[in-house]
Every structure is written in C-alpha cells, then in structure tokens.
Amino acid sequence: MNAKPDWSIADADELYRISGWGAGYFRLNADGNLVVSAPLRNGKTAEIAMLDLIEGMEVRGKSMPVMLRVQNLLENQIKLINESFSKAIADSNYRGKYRGVFPIKVNQQAQVIEDIVRFGKPWQHGLEAGSKAELMIALSMLSEPGPLIVCNGYKDREFVELGLGMTKLGFQVIFVIETPAELPIIVESSQAMGVRPVIGVRAKLFSRVSGRWNATSGDRSMFGLNASQLVGVIDGLKAAGMLDCLQFLHYHLGSQIPNIRDIRTGVREACRYYVELVEEGAPMRFLDLGGGLAVDYDGSRTSAIHSRNYALEEYCVDVVETIQSVLDEKGIEHPTIVTESGRSTVAYSTVLMFNILDVTGFSDASLPADIDEKASDLVHNLMESYRMLSDKTVQECFNDAVYYRDEARDGFMRGQLDLRTRSQIEQIFMVIMAEVQKIADRNPDALSEPEVLKTMLADIYYGNFSVFQSLPDAWAIDQIFPVVPLHRHLERPTRNSIIADMTCDSDGKIDRFPENGEVSRALPLHEIREGEEYYLGAFLVGAYQETLGDLHNLLGDTHVVSVYINEDGSFDFVGEVEGDSVADVLSYVEYQPNNLLAQFRQTAERAVRNGTISAGERQHLVNAFEAGLRGYTYYEQ
C-alpha cells in the first residue's frame, strides 16, 4: 500500500482556497502549476498554465510586473449574469426583461470598456456614467442604439445636453436624478431642445446592508432622494407636464453585499417606492438595483465581508421573485430589471503577476555559538526560558521571552547593553519563537494569541510591484485579495511570509490574507531557490484597482497584456499596453524629461572641465541617464 505523500495538490488548493474564490476559472494542474480555465464559446474549456503566459510575455519583451487580462473570463461573466437572469425570469413566468449595465467607474480602461461593449452586444449590455467624462466614453463606445446609458452622479447643463443629443439620435439615455437641484436643469434643457427624456430617480432606502461598502445604504447615505425629496420631484414633473418622463427607479446599497438576506430586503423596500410612483401616475418601466452582486475574495462562501453566501443563480432568482411577489399584490406590471454589477463583471478577468526579488528571513535563527558566563543576566534568563520550553510551559516561556527581549531593547536604548549583547538576545529570542511556533502548530490552543507569533516570525518577501499603484484597496481599506504562487504546488510551502513592495514606505506591503472567512497576517510561501524566479499572482483585481492606483515613489502603471484563449488551447496576445517609463511618470508630476537630460549633460560637462571625469566617462553617464529615462519604473534584470 502506497503511503500518502507529504503534500498534494489537494492540500495546496485547500491552503490557498483556490476552488473557493476561483469560481471555476483557476485551478492547479498535475504539475503543480496554477492554470486559468477559460470558458470557450463552444461550451468547452481550455486550460493554460500561468507560467506559459509569462513565458509568452517575456519573449515579447514584457518583464514583470504585468497586469494580465483574460478576455474569456470577462466575456463569460457577462454571459453568465445575462443568462442567469433570463433563466430566472423564464422559470418564474416574470413578465419583464433584464438589462445589464456596467458602471464605467469600476474600470475605465479603454480596452476593458471596448471588451464589455463587444461581449455584451448579444444582450444589449449597457453602460453607466457617473461623470461627464464617463458619459463621453459611453457615447463614443456604444455606436448603435439599444443598450441603456444610465446617467448617475452630478449633472450640469453640458452633461444633460450631451445625453439629450444622443436621445435625439435614438439612444436610450436615462437621467437619474440624484439631488433636487438637477430637476430644473433636465426640465429646462429638454424643453429647449424639444426632447422628451427618460427620467429616473434614485431613492435613498433606509435598509442597511452588512459588509465594508455599506456607506451608500441607510437613510444617512450621501446619495439619493429621501421621501420628501421624491415627492418634490414628482410635483415638479407634474408642474412641467413631464410626469410621463418618469419611468426609472434606481437605488444602490453597496458594491459588495455579502448576505443574500440584505439583498432581498433592499429589493422589497425599493418595490414599495416603485408601487408608490406608479400610483402617483408615473408610467414606470425600469427598476435598477444598482450594484451589490459580491465577489468571494476569501473563498469561504459565507457572509464575511470579503465573501458572499449565495451563488449568482440564487441572486437572480431572489431578485426576480421578490419583485414579482410585491408587484403582483398590487396588480402592477413587472418592470425591466436593471443591475449595475461592475465588481463581479470585471474582477475575475484580471491578475497582477509579479516576481520576488529578495527575502528577509526571521525563522532561521540559531543559538549563539558560545555564551560567556559573565554575559548579561538577560542572556542567561532567555537561555533558561529556552531550556524550560515544553508543551506545558509554552505560554509562560513565550511571555517570559517577550519580557526579556523588551528589557534588552530598553537597556540598549539607555546604553546599558552593547550591540553584540543585543544581537545575542535577539538570536536566542527568535530561536525560542521558532520552537514556540512548532508547539502551536501541533496544538493551536497552546497560545492565547497565535496570530501575534505568526506575524513576529513572518519572513518578508520583496515583490517587484507597488501596492499603491496596482492594489491600492489593499492599503487604503484593508481589502483582501487572494495571493497565490503561480507554480511549485507539489511542494509544501514552509515559510510564513508577508509581501513587501518596492516602495520606500512601511505601508507598502500585503499582510492580510484570506483564511477560512477570517484574516491571516501571514501567507505560507516556498523557499526561494537561487537563480530561479518565484512568481506570485494577486487575483480578482479587475475592479477599481487600475484607476485608483497612484504614483507612490513614482512607480507607474505596469505593463498590461490581454489574452484570448482559443478553442484549440492556444492563446493570442490581443492587446498590449506598455507600462510607464521613468520619463512618463516624471512628466505626470510636471518635470520635462528633455530639460532634465540637458541639465544632467551640463553637470557632467562641468565635471569634465574640472578634471573629475574623462569625456568618455561623461558620455557613458549621459547614455545611462538617457536609458534610465526610457526604462520601466520597476525592477529590470
């Protein structure tokens, strides 16, 4: 009988929760490599190892880090949400339709919007614009009438007139009134242009949802109209003879709603507003639920803030049946259901891939070779704690070691301990912590605060990327993203680690990782092998991250590569965007690269005149400066 291997693909999948958050798009193959499993238009799937994609990028001159977009996943997400709603509508005998719109603010990148429009064409999937610039994107990308263009956000006269002009051309532009001040602008502009617009109102629901992004829910939400403001809009439209234009009700409770019960509650309350608008005489046709369809970032499939406790099919069925049950009681015709599911549409399709540059280890300390009998009492006390350490004394020895370590640090600050003594104490302390960790691994209840120990011993893996540029939500709001090695999953990962980026900032790190619905402060990774690259991927980063990124330390946009996986299992590089050069990011902060080069030439020429360097050395320095301006802002081999 063969013995069970020490580590298996199943173990790796369970550790990194790939089957949980991967939504069927990512898995591990028999070689221990992470693969993308791409749905194909013929109903089958094709699998490509991420390492193969990296190899293809590198031969095309794209070094790490790279933002990878897999178009198949975006195409399939649009297909899934439209077909799931269509099925729920058919199964429930619902008399309305479904129309999806993508909120441009979730990812404004031109390639992404172009793909959404192209892949959404069979379902007339539309766009939502929350600003004048986003409206211009929508008006230019949607070249044919049919898809909805939902206008949210603050709208000045120019914004409104742009939309009214497209209405004249036959496009379905909907003006959602967010504040009472927008009503007279829409009324006056439409009357002046002779256009009967489709008008919507955003209701401020009192229903609140759980999760991190719940500030847009509840009656203290910054956006939307309360009951008295809604009545004011209705009366204003009646006075203008335009109540027939009010056909659209919108609300938004948050972009990531983890609990299906909150979704049902919000839909039910919105339906009450819908009923009242109909009874006021408005010929209502659309009910827009906004966003909220969550992404399971931690793979736990629970109501934890980074997860969701429902499937897409359940979401669609609950929405359809709730609307149907409320409106049927009043004999009101079923509306077209609209959702603005942005996060769930684009999150899966984008992966940040980067390599590890260096490692600082904390768990490999060894006891000092020899300890003088005259050494500090703190040294001997720590050694005694080490000798006493056992399963029964682990908590006591842990507490004592931390106490003696802190005393040593205070003594060093006061000049009572020299550097070598402090070094010995730190060595012994880390050896004790490593032994404590082994005991805690065998017996998780041995320590009262095991996460403290995990953080204390975590190695630092230095990644070739910027958190602030590529994963800003991980820094700003403690958003969790799955981070997984792209290879070596046949090996047990033995190093608890945090991941530091290239910025000179203590916040430039990832030290929060999903773990069974909770948050772990360290991620198991593999030992780095000399001369061999170690690749990691941060997944589900297609929503918000690219546009929110900043230029901390002037680390710019990464390379972006879009691939489409074909039915024969091959893949095409269908789009490549060069990452920012040093010259690019300098120009963003108002430096003129040509002027900088001219100034550097003058500095180098003065050095030649002074005899500091030769003319040949000057030219070598100038060439290096020019090459640096052209270079990638990230680490280059």
Side-chain angles (χ1 to χ4, degrees):
M1 183 176 181
N2 293 329
K4 182 181 178 182
D6 176 62
W7 188 254
S8 69
I9 293 297
D11 294 325
D13 182 82
E14 182 178 359
L15 173 64
Y16 295 110
R17 306 290 299 178
I18 298 169
S19 294
W21 56 260
Y25 294 136
F26 302 98
R27 73 172 196 88
L28 300 177
N29 67 13
D31 296 324
N33 294 323
L34 200 147
V35 303
V36 55
S37 185
L40 304 174
R41 291 171 184 167
N42 62 8
K44 299 180 181 179
T45 59
E47 294 187 344
I48 302 293
M50 304 292 280
L51 287 186
D52 290 341
L53 293 173
I54 291 175
E55 181 181 354
M57 293 172 197
E58 290 180 340
V59 298
R60 290 168 173 81
K62 297 293 184 293
S63 58
M64 295 289 106
V66 171
M67 197 71 81
L68 170 71
R69 298 191 189 122
V70 184
Q71 290 185 340
N72 307 67
L73 309 191
L74 177 56
E75 181 178 26
N76 197 60
Q77 284 299 107
I78 294 174
K79 175 184 176 183
L80 281 177
I81 192 167
N82 280 279
E83 290 187 348
S84 296
F85 262 112
S86 294
K87 184 176 186 305
I89 285 170
D91 291 347
S92 301
N93 294 317
Y94 186 87
R95 296 186 298 277
K97 299 177 181 178
Y98 170 74
R99 299 293 294 277
V101 298
F102 177 77
I104 295 175
K105 67 175 178 286
V106 176
N107 194 320
Q108 298 103 324
Q109 302 300 316
Q111 286 185 349
V112 174
I113 301 302
E114 289 168 359
D115 289 343
I116 287 170
V117 170
R118 177 160 53 94
F119 295 142
K121 195 169 184 179
W123 297 278
Q124 294 190 325
H125 208 87
L127 297 172
E128 181 266 343
S131 69
K132 199 182 304 181
E134 290 183 353
L135 177 60
M136 291 178 176
I137 291 173
L139 299 183
S140 60
M141 290 291 185
L142 295 172
S143 58
E144 298 177 3
L148 299 181
I149 301 175
V150 178
C151 299
N152 291 325
Y154 287 96
K155 293 170 276 294
D156 61 14
R157 192 171 300 276
E158 189 173 54
F159 186 126
V160 172
E161 288 178 356
L162 276 170
L164 290 172
M166 293 304 288
T167 301
K168 275 190 169 185
L169 296 179
F171 286 79
Q172 294 195 68
V173 181
I174 296 162
F175 300 95
V176 178
I177 296 175
E178 303 254 7
T179 68
E182 293 173 354
L183 177 60
I185 297 174
I186 295 171
V187 169
E188 292 166 12
S189 297
S190 61
Q191 289 176 342
M193 295 178 65
V195 179
R196 302 296 287 182
V198 177
I199 295 176
V201 287
R202 176 169 177 171
K204 182 183 292 188
L205 306 190
F206 61 77
S207 298
R208 288 192 62 83
V209 302
S210 59
R212 181 173 300 280
W213 291 272
N214 63 357
T216 50
S217 65
D219 53 16
R220 292 296 298 169
S221 166
M222 292 185 293
F223 304 105
L225 306 173
N226 60 31
S228 61
Q229 291 170 328
L230 276 173
V231 170
V233 168
I234 293 168
D235 290 344
L237 288 172
K238 286 180 177 178
M242 294 178 61
L243 186 61
D244 61 299
C245 296
L246 180 56
Q247 302 173 22
F248 192 98
L249 174 64
H250 170 59
Y251 74 95
H252 179 68
L253 296 178
S255 67
Q256 167 89 2
I257 304 177
N259 196 329
I260 190 66
R261 183 177 61 238
D262 292 338
I263 291 170
R264 288 195 297 263
T265 300
V267 174
R268 184 169 293 277
E269 184 185 354
C271 286
R272 286 293 305 124
Y273 280 98
Y274 191 92
V275 168
E276 292 298 319
L277 292 173
V278 170
E279 293 183 348
E280 286 283 344
M284 301 298 292
R285 294 194 296 134
F286 301 93
L287 176 57
D288 182 353
L289 283 60
L293 178 57
V295 169
D296 193 349
Y297 289 97
D298 69 17
S300 66
R301 301 176 183 175
T302 67
S303 58
I305 62 172
H306 299 293
S307 186
R308 72 180 192 193
N309 65 359
Y310 53 91
L312 172 59
E313 295 78 8
E314 182 183 1
Y315 169 83
C316 296
V317 168
D318 280 13
V319 166
V320 169
E321 291 184 350
T322 301
I323 296 172
Q324 190 172 17
S325 66
V326 175
L327 299 191
D328 282 352
E329 290 179 3
K330 298 291 185 177
I332 293 174
E333 194 57 35
H334 301 159
T336 294
I337 300 170
V338 180
T339 67
E340 301 174 10
S341 298
R343 184 184 298 273
S344 60
T345 300
V346 295
Y348 296 99
S349 61
T350 306
V351 183
L352 172 67
M353 302 190 300
F354 58 96
N355 55 321
I356 296 299
L357 302 175
D358 197 9
V359 177
T360 296
F362 292 93
S363 54
D364 289 334
S366 57
L367 292 173
D370 56 280
I371 297 175
D372 194 320
E373 291 184 3
K374 297 180 181 179
S376 166
D377 288 345
L378 291 172
V379 173
H380 291 294
N381 290 341
L382 271 171
M383 285 301 300
E384 183 62 21
S385 295
Y386 172 70
R387 286 188 286 269
M388 288 178 57
L389 184 60
S390 69
D391 285 29
K392 292 183 179 180
T393 63
V394 61
Q395 184 70 60
E396 177 186 354
C397 291
F398 172 80
N399 294 340
D400 289 346
V402 171
Y403 172 78
Y404 296 137
R405 190 274 312 267
D406 291 346
E407 284 289 298
R409 290 177 174 178
D410 290 342
F412 182 78
M413 290 287 289
R414 294 192 296 269
Q416 297 169 351
L417 290 181
D418 61 24
L419 179 61
R420 291 187 179 276
T421 301
R422 178 173 174 182
S423 174
Q424 282 189 326
I425 288 170
E426 295 286 351
Q427 280 182 268
I428 301 168
F429 175 79
M430 293 307 295
V431 170
I432 293 172
M433 293 301 105
E435 293 301 315
V436 169
Q437 181 68 69
K438 292 176 183 177
I439 295 173
D441 288 342
R442 295 194 305 266
N443 179 11
D445 297 325
L447 284 181
S448 58
E449 298 180 39
E451 282 297 321
V452 173
L453 179 63
K454 183 182 290 188
T455 303
M456 192 180 296
L457 290 175
D459 297 334
I460 302 175
Y461 276 52
Y462 294 93
N464 189 13
F465 74 107
S466 164
V467 165
F468 306 97
Q469 175 59 243
S470 298
L471 299 172
D473 277 351
W475 161 70
I477 58 173
D478 292 331
Q479 167 67 34
I480 296 293
F481 295 100
V483 179
V484 182
L486 301 183
H487 52 141
R488 296 179 58 182
H489 287 284
L490 291 177
E491 309 167 38
R492 179 189 294 274
T494 57
R495 314 298 299 218
N496 281 325
S497 313
I498 65 171
I499 301 169
D501 70 2
M502 292 183 62
T503 63
C504 302
D505 195 308
S506 59
D507 287 335
K509 62 186 178 185
I510 307 175
D511 62 354
R512 294 168 58 84
F513 306 96
E515 184 178 61
N516 297 324
E518 303 293 334
V519 174
S520 174
R521 303 312 296 262
L523 178 71
L525 294 175
H526 303 91
E527 293 266 7
I528 299 300
R529 296 172 180 156
E530 188 174 351
E532 181 180 312
E533 291 282 17
Y534 188 55
Y535 295 107
L536 300 181
F539 292 79
L540 312 184
V541 301
Y544 297 103
Q545 304 314 297
E546 293 183 75
T547 302
L548 289 177
D550 72 8
L551 293 174
H552 199 294
N553 281 122
L554 296 185
L555 292 167
D557 285 340
T558 67
H559 298 310
V560 179
V561 172
S562 297
V563 301
Y564 193 86
I565 298 173
N566 302 311
E567 293 182 3
D568 62 0
S570 64
F571 54 91
D572 296 325
F573 285 81
V574 295
E576 300 176 41
V577 179
E578 290 288 331
D580 285 333
S581 68
V582 172
D584 291 332
V585 298
L586 289 173
S587 66
Y588 297 157
V589 287
E590 300 181 6
Y591 292 94
Q592 297 301 318
N594 288 337
N595 293 345
L596 294 178
L597 178 59
Q599 291 169 5
F600 184 78
R601 282 195 178 112
Q602 293 174 5
T603 300
E605 186 61 31
R606 281 197 300 270
V608 173
R609 289 198 302 269
N610 296 335
T612 306
I613 61 174
S614 68
E617 288 172 323
R618 171 198 179 274
Q619 189 58 40
H620 179 76
L621 288 173
V622 170
N623 289 344
F625 193 93
E626 287 185 287
L629 287 172
R630 294 191 300 269
Y632 201 16
T633 61
Y634 295 93
Y635 185 86
E636 297 180 282
Q637 296 290 351

